[in-house]
């Protein structure tokens, strides 16, 4: 899988594909370009049964500091109707769905800041290993936004539990790697210098598994995990995000 990406660095080693968010100057902010490139990689992944594991990581001192708020503002300034921002929200949903439903096992390798949209990308991966320097936050309410990005809120509730997610969302408080492990947001916490080895401890047995058995097991886990959801209200996430940001922008213009 060789492409000239702007916001990603992609490395394939046999059945393992490493995808690195590669805009460290922005804290690996989630932009439209990054979403387009992730969709390209994840689409190609579905056509390549030889890839059994995808590792998602970030270049620089942080995994991802959230959505590209400067781009949000640019989209609204250019198109006050919010159509461009709504398209961005739909891409975010497609990326998160693709991470969750990929045939390959997806592993988030986390360090530094894992904020907002970065937390969403991480939580849609099957397994998550974090360095002990990780710091997490759900900043949406402080930014005047609803927690509507990529369908992440129900995924977080499913993984971490409603009571704790409610606290973290409403307060916007930072939480550390140890707390993330207590919440099952992280499966492993290790010193940063041991992070790659911790990920490889998962990868080594997986690449020896039957590809068909691995795919089926992941499909079963997804099916059982979603069995209790009668309707998927997260399909409204792009519209909710767009409406809130458009209203905030309009209010600021009239101050």
């Amino acid at each position: 899988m060789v492409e000239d990406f702007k916001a990603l660095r992609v490395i394939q080693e046999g059945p393992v594909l490493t995808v690195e968010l590669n805009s460290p100057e922005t804290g690996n902010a989630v932009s439209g370009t990054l979403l387009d490139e992730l969709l390209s990689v994840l689409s190609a992944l579905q056509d390549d049964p030889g890839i059994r594991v995808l590792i998602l990581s970030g270049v620089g001192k942080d995994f991802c500091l959230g959505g590209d708020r400067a781009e949000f503002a640019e989209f609204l300034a250019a198109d006050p109707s919010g159509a461009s921002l709504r398209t961005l929200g739909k891409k975010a949903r497609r990326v998160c769905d693709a991470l969750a439903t990929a045939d390959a096992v997806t592993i988030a390798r986390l360090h530094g800041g894992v904020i907002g949209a970065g937390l969403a990308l991480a939580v849609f991966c099957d397994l998550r290993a974090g360095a002990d320097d990780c710091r997490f936050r759900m900043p949406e309410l402080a930014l005047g936004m609803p927690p509507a990005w990529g369908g992440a809120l129900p995924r977080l509730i499913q993984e971490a539990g409603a009571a704790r997610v409610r606290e973290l969302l409403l307060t916007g408080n930072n939480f550390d790697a140890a707390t993330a492990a207590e919440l099952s947001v992280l499966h492993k916490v290790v010193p940063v210098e041991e992070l790659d080895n911790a990920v490889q401890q998962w990868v080594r047995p997986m690449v020896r598994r039957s590809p068909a058995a691995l795919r089926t097991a992941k499909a079963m886990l997804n099916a059982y995990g979603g069995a209790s959801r009668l309707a998927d209200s997260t399909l409204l996430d792009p519209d909710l995000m767009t409406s809130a940001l458009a209203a905030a922008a309009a209010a600021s213009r009239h101050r």
Side-chain angles (χ1 to χ4, degrees), residues 123-171:
V123 82
F124 274 97
C125 290
D126 299 310
L127 297 171
R128 298 173 291 274
D132 55 9
D133 71 344
C134 279
R135 63 190 190 282
F136 300 82
R137 186 159 56 93
M138 302 169 66
E140 288 83 358
L141 295 185
L143 299 173
M145 296 171 55
W149 197 95
L153 184 58
R155 178 79 173 197
L156 273 166
I157 290 171
Q158 184 181 47
E159 298 283 284
R164 293 303 302 277
V165 171
R166 186 183 304 120
E167 175 196 8
L168 295 169
L169 175 64
L170 295 178
T171 64

Side-chain angles (χ1 to χ4, degrees), residues 40-249:
S40 176
V41 170
L42 292 165
S43 176
L45 186 67
Q46 291 298 77
D47 298 325
D48 189 348
I51 301 296
R52 299 189 200 181
V53 178
L54 180 148
I55 301 169
L56 184 65
S57 65
V59 175
K61 67 178 184 177
D62 298 298
F63 171 72
C64 176
L65 296 183
D68 189 336
R69 297 200 298 274
E71 186 174 71
F72 293 171
E74 289 172 9
F75 283 166
L76 278 176
D79 180 8
S81 73
S84 299
L85 195 57
R86 194 171 293 109
T87 297
L88 188 75
K90 290 178 180 179
K91 287 180 185 177
R93 174 58 190 265
R94 288 167 57 200
V95 166
C96 290
D97 281 349
L99 281 170
T101 61
D103 287 341
V105 174
T106 52
I107 298 174
R109 176 198 179 280
L110 306 174
H111 72 287
V114 186
I115 311 297
L119 177 55
L121 291 177
V123 82
F124 274 97
C125 290
D126 299 310
L127 297 171
R128 298 173 291 274
D132 55 9
D133 71 344
C134 279
R135 63 190 190 282
F136 300 82
R137 186 159 56 93
M138 302 169 66
E140 288 83 358
L141 295 185
L143 299 173
M145 296 171 55
W149 197 95
L153 184 58
R155 178 79 173 197
L156 273 166
I157 290 171
Q158 184 181 47
E159 298 283 284
R164 293 303 302 277
V165 171
R166 186 183 304 120
E167 175 196 8
L168 295 169
L169 175 64
L170 295 178
T171 64
N173 287 342
N174 286 303
F175 57 105
D176 61 12
T179 302
E182 291 173 8
L183 296 172
S184 298
V185 170
L186 289 177
H187 297 91
K188 285 185 182 182
V189 179
V190 297
V192 65
E193 63 271 14
E194 297 177 20
L195 186 54
D196 287 325
N197 184 56
V199 170
Q200 288 306 312
Q201 287 177 1
W202 280 333
V203 170
R204 284 191 288 269
M206 286 181 195
V207 298
R208 297 194 295 267
R209 304 287 185 255
S210 157
L214 205 61
R215 286 196 304 273
T216 303
K218 179 166 175 179
M220 291 173 67
L221 287 166
N222 282 334
Y224 292 137
S228 63
R229 292 172 65 183
L230 298 178
D232 191 352
S233 61
T234 64
L235 293 173
L236 298 173
D237 276 7
D239 295 289
L240 292 170
M241 180 183 73
T242 300
S243 296
L245 289 175

